[in-house]
Amino acid sequence: MYRPVVVIIVAASALQQAACFAPSSVPTLLPKTSAPSSCTSTAPSAVGRSARAMPPRMAADDKITLAGGLEVSKVGIGAWSWGDSLFWGYDKNMEEDAYLAYKTTREAGINLIDTAEVYGGVGNDWGLSEKLCGKFDKRYQDEEKGEGAVIASKFAVIPPRFTRDAVVSAVKKSNERLGVSCMDLYQLHWPGFIIDAALWDGLADAADMGLVKSVGVSNYSAKRLREAHKALAARGVPLATNQVQYSLLHRNIERNGVKEACEDLGVNILAYSPLAQGLLTGRYSSTNLPKGPRANIMKGRFSELDPLLVGLKEVGEAHGEKSRSQVALNWLIAKGTIPIPGARNAAQAGENAGAMGWELSGEEVEKLDALSLKLEPFPGMPLAAM
């Protein structure tokens, strides 16, 4: 996502995909409709989210209640790689691996799945990740008799969608792709700046119409977050989340007031890129770079990372051979946030889940704090600082 050549995850990815739209394929504005009576699945033969409710598979203290009432696991999963060919090289042959990642995630007790309309291909593949998330959720309920997930998606602020009606229209399209009439959590993917007020009204309109249960934002500065919270509160709509980049290699929100603002307002932080695109996993090296744009992000970083990677390994060994990834995710839990790592297969999903059910000590958190502060920050989303 990051550096001029790789600012892809949200802004550049969305804008590149938007540029590929023919004018007729840009989502059109739909008239407002009356609120549905309940949040139920609209996919053919789909089972309603509440129809197969099962007891939670995790302890009560492994769940967090967001503003507005949604209960989510302490770790979520980011679905960017499911369907995204531009950054992650997804193709249709990877669908079964992606489903097994979803299934493993759900079986481990993780119920929060984060996607976005920009996560996918271009043109007709716009929203492919949403389609896959809806498909996986239905399959899991049908085959495993499991409970439906808490699925979150995001609105892309791209031309010409600069009005409150555009937000309502987009959430309807996202709900259709997900196979639901009411989404669990709908977020603005990045700020709209001079049109922010219209977008906040759009979120509130969607909530009033019963199209979404909860609303959130993403990549918001402290000042913008406080303004959004105030505007939504005036409409009687709680602001549940601010999804921002946060990891041991990107701690800007601790210094720019975002983390403090979220804590003051009762807004939960969803931490994206919690493993710094894989840098914190220990899987890669200067001679073993990942394919695609991530190689440009990681190149030249490994020698300075060694002390932190060693520290992660030492802490993990003290907790029964936890992996570096699990320690890095648990550090984010200790910071009071909800990390949403990606998972392209069942093994990665299982490793993510291993970050729950145990806690770092205060001394271990301080040790990792000190090691990470010495490092050059991982590149971030430019709009998040505005």
Side-chain angles (χ1 to χ4, degrees):
M1 36 200 194
Y2 312 97
R3 286 180 179 162
V5 68
V6 195
V7 182
I8 295 177
I9 181 172
V10 277
S13 178
L15 294 175
Q16 285 187 11
Q17 295 186 70
C20 296
F21 285 170
S24 61
S25 64
V26 175
T28 56
L29 302 186
L30 300 178
K32 294 182 180 179
T33 60
S34 59
S37 59
S38 62
C39 292
T40 56
S41 173
T42 58
S45 303
V47 177
R49 294 253 169 116
S50 62
R52 288 181 174 171
M54 297 175 65
R57 301 188 187 185
M58 65 183 83
D61 59 1
D62 275 332
K63 290 188 133 179
I64 295 170
T65 301
L66 306 181
L70 285 179
E71 282 197 344
V72 299
S73 46
K74 286 188 175 179
V75 173
I77 187 169
W80 181 23
S81 65
W82 301 348
D84 189 278
S85 58
L86 183 64
F87 194 94
W88 294 102
Y90 179 87
D91 66 53
K92 62 182 180 181
N93 295 322
M94 300 175 180
E95 182 173 326
E96 186 63 19
D97 279 343
Y99 172 69
L100 293 176
Y102 175 90
K103 179 174 179 286
T104 301
T105 294
R106 299 292 291 112
E107 289 176 339
I110 294 174
N111 70 342
L112 175 61
I113 314 294
D114 180 77
T115 183
E117 59 183 356
V118 302
Y119 296 167
V122 297
N124 291 334
D125 282 338
W126 176 265
L128 179 56
S129 178
E130 289 180 323
K131 293 177 183 176
L132 291 171
C133 286
K135 182 178 181 179
F136 295 165
D137 197 47
K138 179 183 182 298
R139 179 177 169 185
Y140 180 73
Q141 291 182 67
D142 287 346
E143 294 182 2
E144 308 300 325
K145 313 306 180 192
E147 184 180 23
V150 174
I151 298 182
S153 193
K154 297 183 285 294
F155 173 83
V157 186
I158 56 174
R161 308 191 311 169
F162 295 154
T163 66
R164 64 197 295 176
D165 287 342
V167 177
V168 172
S169 175
V171 75
K172 288 176 180 177
K173 293 290 186 182
S174 288
N175 281 349
E176 182 179 342
R177 288 187 288 266
L178 289 168
V180 299
S181 62
C182 177
M183 191 184 304
D184 295 303
L185 174 63
Y186 196 54
Q187 308 150 93
L188 301 176
H189 209 149
W190 54 85
F193 302 103
I194 62 172
I195 59 164
D196 274 338
L199 302 181
W200 301 335
D201 273 331
L203 287 181
D205 290 345
D208 288 346
M209 296 167 66
L211 296 172
V212 299
K213 293 180 181 178
S214 296
V215 302
V217 293
S218 182
N219 296 301
Y220 264 42
S221 67
K223 180 177 182 293
R224 200 173 302 277
L225 183 76
R226 293 184 187 278
E227 292 170 350
H229 184 274
K230 181 178 179 180
L232 289 166
R235 293 283 305 271
V237 177
L239 179 59
T241 56
N242 185 17
Q243 185 175 148
V244 292
Q245 185 180 354
Y246 190 32
S247 74
L248 278 162
L249 291 181
H250 191 94
R251 297 174 60 185
N252 291 11
I253 67 168
E254 297 176 6
R255 297 183 288 271
N256 61 18
V258 169
K259 190 170 186 291
E260 180 182 2
C262 288
E263 291 168 352
D264 288 348
L265 299 171
V267 174
N268 282 97
I269 292 172
L270 303 185
Y272 71 72
S273 290
L275 299 175
Q277 300 296 333
L279 267 174
L280 293 171
T281 66
R283 297 188 188 110
Y284 301 110
S285 67
S286 58
T287 58
N288 179 35
L289 294 170
K291 296 178 181 178
R294 287 188 298 157
N296 293 321
I297 300 173
M298 295 185 184
K299 195 176 299 181
R301 295 297 304 270
F302 292 99
S303 59
E304 69 164 339
L305 283 179
D306 281 345
L308 176 58
L309 293 176
V310 169
L312 288 168
K313 186 174 186 296
E314 290 173 349
V315 172
E317 289 173 347
H319 289 272
E321 301 299 323
K322 294 294 183 183
S323 70
R324 293 181 178 90
S325 296
Q326 290 165 343
V327 174
L329 294 175
N330 198 278
W331 178 85
L332 285 164
I333 295 172
K335 294 291 183 176
T337 71
I338 304 170
I340 48 171
R344 304 176 74 180
N345 53 53
Q348 291 177 359
E351 186 171 8
N352 291 342
M356 297 189 301
W358 58 283
E359 295 181 356
L360 293 172
S361 69
E363 292 77 12
E364 289 168 334
V365 171
E366 291 176 1
K367 173 182 178 178
L368 296 175
D369 283 351
L371 289 170
S372 66
L373 281 175
K374 300 174 183 178
L375 303 174
E376 177 188 349
F378 192 66
M381 169 67 172
L383 296 180
M386 300 179 185

